[in-house]
Amino acid sequence: VIHRHGRLAVGEPIMMVATAARHRAEAFASAEFLMDYLKSRAPFWKKEITGGGTSWVAAKDADEAALKRW
């Protein structure tokens, strides 16, 4: 997993997930797990800096539900 940090413009690429497995379905599932985990548990993922200040965005119910399937 490579995750950019610092100030980024809206729409800029922010992360890359690379996986390897014997079969592509396993590699895709691994990448899905990593994304679900990051969206729910990685604090750097949810920090937003705007003209109005800095805030932390709570994980959405859909993010938590996606993580629970693992």
Short mmCIF file of all heavy atoms in Angstrom, two decimals:
data_model
loop_
_atom_site.label_atom_id
_atom_site.label_comp_id
_atom_site.label_asym_id
_atom_site.label_seq_id
_atom_site.Cartn_x
_atom_site.Cartn_y
_atom_site.Cartn_z
N VAL A 1 0.85 -1.17 0.00
CA VAL A 1 0.00 0.00 0.00
C VAL A 1 0.90 1.23 0.00
O VAL A 1 1.81 1.34 0.81
CB VAL A 1 -0.91 0.03 1.25
CG1 VAL A 1 -1.71 1.32 1.29
CG2 VAL A 1 -1.83 -1.17 1.27
N ILE A 2 0.63 2.12 -0.92
CA ILE A 2 1.29 3.42 -0.93
C ILE A 2 0.18 4.45 -0.78
O ILE A 2 -0.78 4.45 -1.56
CB ILE A 2 2.07 3.67 -2.23
CG1 ILE A 2 3.20 2.65 -2.36
CG2 ILE A 2 2.60 5.10 -2.26
CD1 ILE A 2 3.92 2.70 -3.68
N HIS A 3 0.29 5.29 0.23
CA HIS A 3 -0.72 6.31 0.48
C HIS A 3 -0.02 7.67 0.51
O HIS A 3 0.88 7.88 1.32
CB HIS A 3 -1.43 6.05 1.80
CG HIS A 3 -2.67 6.85 1.96
ND1 HIS A 3 -2.66 8.21 2.15
CD2 HIS A 3 -3.97 6.49 1.94
CE1 HIS A 3 -3.90 8.65 2.26
NE2 HIS A 3 -4.71 7.63 2.13
N ARG A 4 -0.44 8.55 -0.35
CA ARG A 4 0.13 9.89 -0.36
C ARG A 4 -0.38 10.66 0.84
O ARG A 4 -1.43 10.37 1.40
CB ARG A 4 -0.28 10.62 -1.64
CG ARG A 4 0.35 9.98 -2.87
CD ARG A 4 -0.09 10.64 -4.14
NE ARG A 4 0.34 12.04 -4.14
CZ ARG A 4 -0.12 12.94 -5.00
NH1 ARG A 4 -1.01 12.60 -5.90
NH2 ARG A 4 0.31 14.18 -4.96
N HIS A 5 0.37 11.66 1.24
CA HIS A 5 -0.05 12.50 2.36
C HIS A 5 0.35 13.93 2.07
O HIS A 5 1.03 14.21 1.09
CB HIS A 5 0.55 12.00 3.68
CG HIS A 5 2.04 11.96 3.68
ND1 HIS A 5 2.82 13.03 4.05
CD2 HIS A 5 2.89 10.97 3.32
CE1 HIS A 5 4.09 12.70 3.93
NE2 HIS A 5 4.16 11.45 3.49
N GLY A 6 -0.09 14.81 2.92
CA GLY A 6 0.13 16.23 2.69
C GLY A 6 -1.05 16.81 1.94
O GLY A 6 -2.10 16.19 1.77
N ARG A 7 -0.89 18.00 1.48
CA ARG A 7 -1.99 18.67 0.76
C ARG A 7 -2.11 18.11 -0.65
O ARG A 7 -1.14 18.07 -1.39
CB ARG A 7 -1.76 20.16 0.72
CG ARG A 7 -1.84 20.79 2.08
CD ARG A 7 -1.86 22.31 1.99
NE ARG A 7 -1.87 22.88 3.31
CZ ARG A 7 -2.97 23.18 3.99
NH1 ARG A 7 -4.15 22.96 3.45
NH2 ARG A 7 -2.90 23.70 5.19
N LEU A 8 -3.31 17.69 -0.99
CA LEU A 8 -3.61 17.16 -2.31
C LEU A 8 -4.83 17.88 -2.85
O LEU A 8 -5.76 18.19 -2.11
CB LEU A 8 -3.91 15.67 -2.24
CG LEU A 8 -2.81 14.78 -1.67
CD1 LEU A 8 -3.34 13.37 -1.47
CD2 LEU A 8 -1.62 14.76 -2.59
N ALA A 9 -4.85 18.11 -4.13
CA ALA A 9 -6.00 18.73 -4.77
C ALA A 9 -7.10 17.69 -4.92
O ALA A 9 -6.84 16.48 -5.01
CB ALA A 9 -5.62 19.29 -6.14
N VAL A 10 -8.34 18.15 -4.94
CA VAL A 10 -9.48 17.26 -5.14
C VAL A 10 -9.29 16.52 -6.47
O VAL A 10 -8.95 17.13 -7.48
CB VAL A 10 -10.81 18.06 -5.14
CG1 VAL A 10 -11.98 17.17 -5.51
CG2 VAL A 10 -11.02 18.71 -3.79
N GLY A 11 -9.48 15.21 -6.42
CA GLY A 11 -9.37 14.40 -7.63
C GLY A 11 -7.98 13.84 -7.90
O GLY A 11 -7.82 13.01 -8.79
N GLU A 12 -6.97 14.26 -7.14
CA GLU A 12 -5.63 13.71 -7.34
C GLU A 12 -5.56 12.28 -6.85
O GLU A 12 -6.21 11.93 -5.86
CB GLU A 12 -4.60 14.52 -6.54
CG GLU A 12 -4.09 15.76 -7.22
CD GLU A 12 -2.92 16.35 -6.46
OE1 GLU A 12 -1.78 15.90 -6.71
OE2 GLU A 12 -3.14 17.24 -5.63
N PRO A 13 -4.76 11.44 -7.51
CA PRO A 13 -4.57 10.08 -7.01
C PRO A 13 -3.96 10.12 -5.61
O PRO A 13 -3.04 10.90 -5.36
CB PRO A 13 -3.59 9.44 -8.00
CG PRO A 13 -3.65 10.31 -9.22
CD PRO A 13 -4.01 11.68 -8.74
N ILE A 14 -4.49 9.31 -4.70
CA ILE A 14 -4.02 9.36 -3.32
C ILE A 14 -3.39 8.06 -2.87
O ILE A 14 -2.54 8.05 -1.99
CB ILE A 14 -5.16 9.78 -2.37
CG1 ILE A 14 -4.61 10.13 -1.01
CG2 ILE A 14 -6.22 8.71 -2.28
CD1 ILE A 14 -5.57 10.84 -0.11
N MET A 15 -3.76 6.95 -3.48
CA MET A 15 -3.18 5.70 -3.00
C MET A 15 -3.08 4.66 -4.09
O MET A 15 -3.73 4.74 -5.13
CB MET A 15 -3.95 5.15 -1.82
CG MET A 15 -5.29 4.60 -2.12
SD MET A 15 -6.02 3.83 -0.67
CE MET A 15 -4.74 2.80 -0.07
N MET A 16 -2.22 3.67 -3.82
CA MET A 16 -2.07 2.52 -4.69
C MET A 16 -2.02 1.28 -3.81
O MET A 16 -1.36 1.29 -2.76
CB MET A 16 -0.77 2.60 -5.49
CG MET A 16 -0.61 1.41 -6.42
SD MET A 16 1.01 1.34 -7.21
CE MET A 16 1.96 0.58 -5.92
N VAL A 17 -2.74 0.27 -4.20
CA VAL A 17 -2.72 -1.02 -3.51
C VAL A 17 -2.26 -2.06 -4.53
O VAL A 17 -2.83 -2.16 -5.62
CB VAL A 17 -4.12 -1.40 -2.98
CG1 VAL A 17 -4.12 -2.80 -2.40
CG2 VAL A 17 -4.59 -0.39 -1.95
N ALA A 18 -1.23 -2.80 -4.20
CA ALA A 18 -0.74 -3.88 -5.06
C ALA A 18 -0.79 -5.18 -4.27
O ALA A 18 -0.39 -5.22 -3.11
CB ALA A 18 0.68 -3.59 -5.52
N THR A 19 -1.29 -6.22 -4.89
CA THR A 19 -1.37 -7.53 -4.26
C THR A 19 -0.84 -8.58 -5.23
O THR A 19 -0.76 -8.34 -6.43
CB THR A 19 -2.81 -7.88 -3.85
OG1 THR A 19 -3.62 -7.95 -5.02
CG2 THR A 19 -3.39 -6.86 -2.89
N ALA A 20 -0.51 -9.73 -4.69
CA ALA A 20 -0.08 -10.85 -5.52
C ALA A 20 -0.70 -12.12 -4.95
O ALA A 20 -0.81 -12.28 -3.74
CB ALA A 20 1.43 -10.96 -5.52
N ALA A 21 -1.13 -13.00 -5.83
CA ALA A 21 -1.73 -14.26 -5.42
C ALA A 21 -1.63 -15.25 -6.57
O ALA A 21 -1.32 -14.86 -7.70
CB ALA A 21 -3.19 -14.04 -5.02
N ARG A 22 -1.90 -16.48 -6.28
CA ARG A 22 -1.87 -17.51 -7.34
C ARG A 22 -2.99 -17.31 -8.36
O ARG A 22 -2.85 -17.66 -9.52
CB ARG A 22 -1.99 -18.89 -6.72
CG ARG A 22 -0.76 -19.29 -5.97
CD ARG A 22 -0.91 -20.68 -5.42
NE ARG A 22 0.25 -20.98 -4.61
CZ ARG A 22 0.79 -22.16 -4.52
NH1 ARG A 22 0.27 -23.18 -5.17
NH2 ARG A 22 1.85 -22.35 -3.77
N HIS A 23 -4.10 -16.76 -7.89
CA HIS A 23 -5.25 -16.54 -8.78
C HIS A 23 -5.72 -15.10 -8.63
O HIS A 23 -5.67 -14.53 -7.56
CB HIS A 23 -6.38 -17.51 -8.43
CG HIS A 23 -5.96 -18.94 -8.50
ND1 HIS A 23 -5.77 -19.60 -9.70
CD2 HIS A 23 -5.65 -19.84 -7.53
CE1 HIS A 23 -5.38 -20.84 -9.45
NE2 HIS A 23 -5.30 -21.01 -8.14
N ARG A 24 -6.20 -14.53 -9.72
CA ARG A 24 -6.58 -13.11 -9.70
C ARG A 24 -7.70 -12.81 -8.73
O ARG A 24 -7.73 -11.75 -8.11
CB ARG A 24 -6.89 -12.59 -11.09
CG ARG A 24 -8.20 -13.07 -11.64
CD ARG A 24 -8.53 -12.39 -12.96
NE ARG A 24 -9.56 -13.19 -13.56
CZ ARG A 24 -9.54 -13.61 -14.81
NH1 ARG A 24 -8.56 -13.29 -15.59
NH2 ARG A 24 -10.51 -14.35 -15.25
N ALA A 25 -8.65 -13.73 -8.53
CA ALA A 25 -9.74 -13.48 -7.59
C ALA A 25 -9.19 -13.25 -6.18
O ALA A 25 -9.69 -12.38 -5.46
CB ALA A 25 -10.74 -14.63 -7.61
N GLU A 26 -8.19 -14.02 -5.80
CA GLU A 26 -7.57 -13.84 -4.48
C GLU A 26 -6.84 -12.50 -4.40
O GLU A 26 -6.89 -11.83 -3.37
CB GLU A 26 -6.61 -14.99 -4.20
CG GLU A 26 -7.30 -16.33 -4.07
CD GLU A 26 -6.32 -17.49 -4.15
OE1 GLU A 26 -5.14 -17.29 -4.50
OE2 GLU A 26 -6.76 -18.62 -3.86
N ALA A 27 -6.18 -12.10 -5.45
CA ALA A 27 -5.48 -10.81 -5.46
C ALA A 27 -6.49 -9.66 -5.36
O ALA A 27 -6.28 -8.71 -4.60
CB ALA A 27 -4.64 -10.66 -6.73
N PHE A 28 -7.58 -9.74 -6.11
CA PHE A 28 -8.61 -8.70 -6.04
C PHE A 28 -9.24 -8.66 -4.65
O PHE A 28 -9.49 -7.57 -4.11
CB PHE A 28 -9.68 -8.90 -7.11
CG PHE A 28 -9.22 -8.62 -8.51
CD1 PHE A 28 -9.62 -9.43 -9.56
CD2 PHE A 28 -8.38 -7.55 -8.79
CE1 PHE A 28 -9.20 -9.17 -10.86
CE2 PHE A 28 -7.95 -7.28 -10.08
CZ PHE A 28 -8.37 -8.10 -11.12
N ALA A 29 -9.51 -9.82 -4.07
CA ALA A 29 -10.10 -9.86 -2.73
C ALA A 29 -9.14 -9.24 -1.72
O ALA A 29 -9.58 -8.52 -0.81
CB ALA A 29 -10.44 -11.30 -2.34
N SER A 30 -7.87 -9.50 -1.86
CA SER A 30 -6.88 -8.90 -0.95
C SER A 30 -6.90 -7.38 -1.05
O SER A 30 -6.86 -6.68 -0.03
CB SER A 30 -5.48 -9.41 -1.28
OG SER A 30 -5.39 -10.80 -1.12
N ALA A 31 -6.96 -6.88 -2.25
CA ALA A 31 -7.01 -5.43 -2.45
C ALA A 31 -8.29 -4.85 -1.86
O ALA A 31 -8.28 -3.79 -1.23
CB ALA A 31 -6.90 -5.08 -3.93
N GLU A 32 -9.42 -5.54 -2.04
CA GLU A 32 -10.68 -5.08 -1.47
C GLU A 32 -10.61 -5.03 0.05
O GLU A 32 -11.07 -4.06 0.67
CB GLU A 32 -11.83 -6.00 -1.87
CG GLU A 32 -12.35 -5.75 -3.26
CD GLU A 32 -13.60 -6.58 -3.50
OE1 GLU A 32 -14.70 -6.08 -3.18
OE2 GLU A 32 -13.46 -7.72 -3.98
N PHE A 33 -10.03 -6.06 0.67
CA PHE A 33 -9.89 -6.06 2.12
C PHE A 33 -9.06 -4.87 2.58
O PHE A 33 -9.43 -4.16 3.52
CB PHE A 33 -9.23 -7.35 2.62
CG PHE A 33 -8.77 -7.23 4.05
CD1 PHE A 33 -9.69 -7.29 5.08
CD2 PHE A 33 -7.44 -6.98 4.35
CE1 PHE A 33 -9.28 -7.14 6.41
CE2 PHE A 33 -7.02 -6.84 5.67
CZ PHE A 33 -7.94 -6.91 6.69
N LEU A 34 -7.93 -4.63 1.93
CA LEU A 34 -7.08 -3.51 2.32
C LEU A 34 -7.82 -2.18 2.22
O LEU A 34 -7.72 -1.33 3.11
CB LEU A 34 -5.81 -3.48 1.46
CG LEU A 34 -4.82 -4.59 1.76
CD1 LEU A 34 -3.77 -4.68 0.66
CD2 LEU A 34 -4.17 -4.38 3.11
N MET A 35 -8.56 -1.98 1.15
CA MET A 35 -9.31 -0.73 0.99
C MET A 35 -10.40 -0.61 2.05
O MET A 35 -10.58 0.46 2.64
CB MET A 35 -9.93 -0.65 -0.41
CG MET A 35 -8.90 -0.53 -1.52
SD MET A 35 -7.89 0.96 -1.37
CE MET A 35 -9.11 2.22 -1.58
N ASP A 36 -11.11 -1.70 2.33
CA ASP A 36 -12.15 -1.66 3.36
C ASP A 36 -11.55 -1.35 4.72
O ASP A 36 -12.10 -0.57 5.50
CB ASP A 36 -12.92 -2.98 3.40
CG ASP A 36 -13.80 -3.20 2.19
OD1 ASP A 36 -14.11 -2.21 1.50
OD2 ASP A 36 -14.17 -4.36 1.94
N TYR A 37 -10.41 -1.95 5.02
CA TYR A 37 -9.75 -1.71 6.30
C TYR A 37 -9.29 -0.26 6.40
O TYR A 37 -9.55 0.41 7.41
CB TYR A 37 -8.55 -2.65 6.47
CG TYR A 37 -7.88 -2.46 7.80
CD1 TYR A 37 -8.33 -3.14 8.92
CD2 TYR A 37 -6.80 -1.59 7.94
CE1 TYR A 37 -7.73 -2.95 10.15
CE2 TYR A 37 -6.20 -1.40 9.17
CZ TYR A 37 -6.67 -2.08 10.27
OH TYR A 37 -6.08 -1.88 11.49
N LEU A 38 -8.66 0.23 5.38
CA LEU A 38 -8.17 1.61 5.42
C LEU A 38 -9.30 2.62 5.58
O LEU A 38 -9.19 3.57 6.35
CB LEU A 38 -7.38 1.93 4.15
CG LEU A 38 -6.03 1.23 4.03
CD1 LEU A 38 -5.45 1.44 2.64
CD2 LEU A 38 -5.07 1.73 5.10
N LYS A 39 -10.40 2.41 4.88
CA LYS A 39 -11.50 3.37 4.96
C LYS A 39 -12.14 3.40 6.34
O LYS A 39 -12.76 4.38 6.72
CB LYS A 39 -12.56 3.06 3.91
CG LYS A 39 -12.08 3.44 2.51
CD LYS A 39 -13.22 3.51 1.54
CE LYS A 39 -13.97 4.78 1.79
NZ LYS A 39 -14.92 5.17 0.80
N SER A 40 -12.01 2.32 7.10
CA SER A 40 -12.64 2.25 8.42
C SER A 40 -11.68 2.49 9.57
O SER A 40 -12.08 2.98 10.62
CB SER A 40 -13.30 0.89 8.62
OG SER A 40 -14.32 0.70 7.69
N ARG A 41 -10.41 2.10 9.41
CA ARG A 41 -9.51 2.07 10.57
C ARG A 41 -8.25 2.94 10.46
O ARG A 41 -7.59 3.15 11.45
CB ARG A 41 -9.07 0.64 10.83
CG ARG A 41 -10.21 -0.30 11.17
CD ARG A 41 -10.85 0.09 12.50
NE ARG A 41 -11.90 -0.82 12.92
CZ ARG A 41 -13.17 -0.70 12.58
NH1 ARG A 41 -13.56 0.31 11.84
NH2 ARG A 41 -14.06 -1.56 13.01
N ALA A 42 -7.91 3.40 9.29
CA ALA A 42 -6.68 4.19 9.14
C ALA A 42 -6.99 5.67 9.35
O ALA A 42 -7.71 6.26 8.55
CB ALA A 42 -6.06 3.95 7.77
N PRO A 43 -6.49 6.26 10.42
CA PRO A 43 -6.87 7.63 10.74
C PRO A 43 -6.47 8.66 9.69
O PRO A 43 -7.17 9.63 9.49
CB PRO A 43 -6.17 7.90 12.07
CG PRO A 43 -5.09 6.90 12.17
CD PRO A 43 -5.54 5.71 11.38
N PHE A 44 -5.37 8.45 9.01
CA PHE A 44 -4.94 9.44 8.01
C PHE A 44 -5.91 9.53 6.84
O PHE A 44 -5.93 10.50 6.12
CB PHE A 44 -3.54 9.13 7.50
CG PHE A 44 -3.40 7.75 6.92
CD1 PHE A 44 -3.82 7.47 5.64
CD2 PHE A 44 -2.84 6.74 7.67
CE1 PHE A 44 -3.69 6.20 5.10
CE2 PHE A 44 -2.70 5.47 7.16
CZ PHE A 44 -3.13 5.20 5.86
N TRP A 45 -6.71 8.48 6.67
CA TRP A 45 -7.62 8.42 5.54
C TRP A 45 -8.72 9.47 5.64
O TRP A 45 -9.22 9.97 4.65
CB TRP A 45 -8.26 7.03 5.52
CG TRP A 45 -9.10 6.76 4.32
CD1 TRP A 45 -10.42 7.08 4.15
CD2 TRP A 45 -8.71 6.13 3.13
NE1 TRP A 45 -10.88 6.67 2.93
CE2 TRP A 45 -9.82 6.08 2.27
CE3 TRP A 45 -7.51 5.58 2.68
CZ2 TRP A 45 -9.77 5.51 1.01
CZ3 TRP A 45 -7.48 5.02 1.43
CH2 TRP A 45 -8.59 4.99 0.62
N LYS A 46 -9.11 9.84 6.85
CA LYS A 46 -10.30 10.66 7.05
C LYS A 46 -10.05 12.09 7.47
O LYS A 46 -10.96 12.77 7.90
CB LYS A 46 -11.18 9.99 8.11
CG LYS A 46 -11.66 8.62 7.72
CD LYS A 46 -12.68 8.70 6.62
CE LYS A 46 -13.28 7.34 6.31
NZ LYS A 46 -14.38 7.43 5.39
N LYS A 47 -8.84 12.58 7.39
CA LYS A 47 -8.58 13.96 7.78
C LYS A 47 -8.79 14.87 6.56
O LYS A 47 -8.20 14.66 5.52
CB LYS A 47 -7.16 14.12 8.30
CG LYS A 47 -6.90 15.51 8.84
CD LYS A 47 -5.53 15.60 9.47
CE LYS A 47 -5.31 16.94 10.12
NZ LYS A 47 -3.97 17.03 10.71
N GLU A 48 -9.63 15.86 6.75
CA GLU A 48 -9.88 16.83 5.68
C GLU A 48 -9.45 18.21 6.13
O GLU A 48 -9.72 18.63 7.25
CB GLU A 48 -11.36 16.86 5.31
CG GLU A 48 -11.82 15.61 4.62
CD GLU A 48 -13.25 15.71 4.12
OE1 GLU A 48 -13.95 16.69 4.46
OE2 GLU A 48 -13.67 14.81 3.39
N ILE A 49 -8.78 18.91 5.24
CA ILE A 49 -8.34 20.28 5.50
C ILE A 49 -9.00 21.16 4.45
O ILE A 49 -8.80 20.96 3.25
CB ILE A 49 -6.81 20.40 5.43
CG1 ILE A 49 -6.16 19.44 6.43
CG2 ILE A 49 -6.37 21.83 5.68
CD1 ILE A 49 -4.66 19.29 6.26
N THR A 50 -9.82 22.08 4.90
CA THR A 50 -10.52 23.00 4.00
C THR A 50 -10.23 24.43 4.42
O THR A 50 -9.55 24.67 5.41
CB THR A 50 -12.04 22.74 4.05
OG1 THR A 50 -12.51 23.08 5.36
CG2 THR A 50 -12.37 21.29 3.74
N GLY A 51 -10.78 25.35 3.68
CA GLY A 51 -10.63 26.76 4.04
C GLY A 51 -11.22 27.08 5.40
O GLY A 51 -10.82 28.03 6.06
N GLY A 52 -12.17 26.26 5.84
CA GLY A 52 -12.83 26.46 7.12
C GLY A 52 -12.11 25.80 8.29
O GLY A 52 -12.52 25.94 9.43
N GLY A 53 -11.04 25.07 8.01
CA GLY A 53 -10.30 24.41 9.09
C GLY A 53 -10.07 22.93 8.82
O GLY A 53 -10.24 22.45 7.70
N THR A 54 -9.69 22.24 9.85
CA THR A 54 -9.38 20.81 9.77
C THR A 54 -10.45 20.02 10.51
O THR A 54 -10.89 20.41 11.58
CB THR A 54 -8.00 20.54 10.42
OG1 THR A 54 -7.02 21.31 9.74
CG2 THR A 54 -7.63 19.08 10.34
N SER A 55 -10.85 18.88 9.92
CA SER A 55 -11.83 18.03 10.60
C SER A 55 -11.55 16.58 10.26
O SER A 55 -10.93 16.26 9.25
CB SER A 55 -13.25 18.41 10.19
OG SER A 55 -13.44 18.20 8.80
N TRP A 56 -12.02 15.70 11.15
CA TRP A 56 -11.91 14.27 10.93
C TRP A 56 -13.28 13.76 10.52
O TRP A 56 -14.28 14.05 11.17
CB TRP A 56 -11.45 13.57 12.21
CG TRP A 56 -10.04 13.91 12.54
CD1 TRP A 56 -9.61 14.89 13.37
CD2 TRP A 56 -8.87 13.30 12.01
NE1 TRP A 56 -8.24 14.92 13.41
CE2 TRP A 56 -7.75 13.95 12.58
CE3 TRP A 56 -8.63 12.26 11.11
CZ2 TRP A 56 -6.44 13.61 12.27
CZ3 TRP A 56 -7.33 11.92 10.82
CH2 TRP A 56 -6.25 12.58 11.39
N VAL A 57 -13.34 13.01 9.45
CA VAL A 57 -14.59 12.48 8.93
C VAL A 57 -14.79 11.08 9.50
O VAL A 57 -13.91 10.23 9.40
CB VAL A 57 -14.55 12.42 7.39
CG1 VAL A 57 -15.83 11.83 6.83
CG2 VAL A 57 -14.29 13.81 6.83
N ALA A 58 -15.93 10.85 10.10
CA ALA A 58 -16.24 9.53 10.67
C ALA A 58 -16.47 8.51 9.56
O ALA A 58 -16.94 8.86 8.48
CB ALA A 58 -17.48 9.63 11.55
N ALA A 59 -16.14 7.27 9.84
CA ALA A 59 -16.41 6.20 8.88
C ALA A 59 -17.92 6.10 8.67
O ALA A 59 -18.71 6.26 9.60
CB ALA A 59 -15.86 4.88 9.39
N LYS A 60 -18.32 5.85 7.46
CA LYS A 60 -19.75 5.69 7.13
C LYS A 60 -20.20 4.28 7.52
O LYS A 60 -19.39 3.36 7.63
CB LYS A 60 -19.95 5.89 5.63
CG LYS A 60 -19.57 7.27 5.16
CD LYS A 60 -19.71 7.37 3.66
CE LYS A 60 -19.22 8.73 3.19
NZ LYS A 60 -19.14 8.80 1.74
N ASP A 61 -21.49 4.12 7.71
CA ASP A 61 -22.04 2.80 8.00
C ASP A 61 -21.66 1.80 6.91
O ASP A 61 -21.35 0.64 7.19
CB ASP A 61 -23.55 2.86 8.15
CG ASP A 61 -23.99 3.59 9.42
OD1 ASP A 61 -23.16 3.71 10.35
OD2 ASP A 61 -25.15 4.02 9.48
N ALA A 62 -21.66 2.26 5.66
CA ALA A 62 -21.30 1.38 4.54
C ALA A 62 -19.84 0.93 4.64
O ALA A 62 -19.52 -0.21 4.29
CB ALA A 62 -21.55 2.09 3.22
N ASP A 63 -18.95 1.81 5.13
CA ASP A 63 -17.55 1.44 5.31
C ASP A 63 -17.41 0.35 6.37
O ASP A 63 -16.67 -0.62 6.19
CB ASP A 63 -16.70 2.65 5.73
CG ASP A 63 -16.69 3.75 4.68
OD1 ASP A 63 -16.86 3.45 3.49
OD2 ASP A 63 -16.48 4.92 5.07
N GLU A 64 -18.13 0.51 7.47
CA GLU A 64 -18.09 -0.49 8.55
C GLU A 64 -18.68 -1.81 8.08
O GLU A 64 -18.14 -2.88 8.39
CB GLU A 64 -18.83 0.02 9.77
CG GLU A 64 -18.15 1.20 10.46
CD GLU A 64 -16.79 0.86 11.01
OE1 GLU A 64 -16.57 -0.29 11.48
OE2 GLU A 64 -15.91 1.73 10.98
N ALA A 65 -19.76 -1.76 7.33
CA ALA A 65 -20.39 -2.98 6.84
C ALA A 65 -19.46 -3.72 5.88
O ALA A 65 -19.36 -4.94 5.92
CB ALA A 65 -21.71 -2.66 6.15
N ALA A 66 -18.76 -2.97 5.04
CA ALA A 66 -17.82 -3.59 4.11
C ALA A 66 -16.70 -4.30 4.86
O ALA A 66 -16.29 -5.40 4.49
CB ALA A 66 -17.25 -2.53 3.16
N LEU A 67 -16.21 -3.70 5.94
CA LEU A 67 -15.13 -4.31 6.71
C LEU A 67 -15.61 -5.58 7.43
O LEU A 67 -14.88 -6.56 7.52
CB LEU A 67 -14.55 -3.31 7.70
CG LEU A 67 -13.36 -3.80 8.52
CD1 LEU A 67 -12.21 -4.22 7.62
CD2 LEU A 67 -12.91 -2.71 9.47
N LYS A 68 -16.85 -5.57 7.90
CA LYS A 68 -17.37 -6.72 8.65
C LYS A 68 -17.49 -7.98 7.81
O LYS A 68 -17.47 -9.07 8.32
CB LYS A 68 -18.74 -6.37 9.25
CG LYS A 68 -18.62 -5.46 10.45
CD LYS A 68 -19.98 -5.15 11.02
CE LYS A 68 -19.82 -4.16 12.17
NZ LYS A 68 -21.10 -3.72 12.69
N ARG A 69 -17.56 -7.84 6.50
CA ARG A 69 -17.68 -9.04 5.66
C ARG A 69 -16.39 -9.86 5.66
O ARG A 69 -16.39 -11.01 5.25
CB ARG A 69 -18.13 -8.69 4.26
CG ARG A 69 -17.12 -7.92 3.47
CD ARG A 69 -17.74 -7.46 2.14
NE ARG A 69 -16.78 -6.63 1.47
CZ ARG A 69 -16.37 -6.81 0.22
NH1 ARG A 69 -16.87 -7.80 -0.49
NH2 ARG A 69 -15.50 -6.02 -0.31
N TRP A 70 -15.29 -9.28 6.12
CA TRP A 70 -14.03 -10.02 6.18
C TRP A 70 -13.90 -10.72 7.50
O TRP A 70 -13.10 -11.49 7.78
CB TRP A 70 -12.84 -9.09 5.94
CG TRP A 70 -12.95 -8.38 4.64
CD1 TRP A 70 -13.31 -7.08 4.45
CD2 TRP A 70 -12.75 -8.93 3.33
NE1 TRP A 70 -13.34 -6.79 3.12
CE2 TRP A 70 -13.01 -7.91 2.40
CE3 TRP A 70 -12.40 -10.17 2.87
CZ2 TRP A 70 -12.89 -8.09 1.03
CZ3 TRP A 70 -12.30 -10.37 1.51
CH2 TRP A 70 -12.55 -9.33 0.59
#
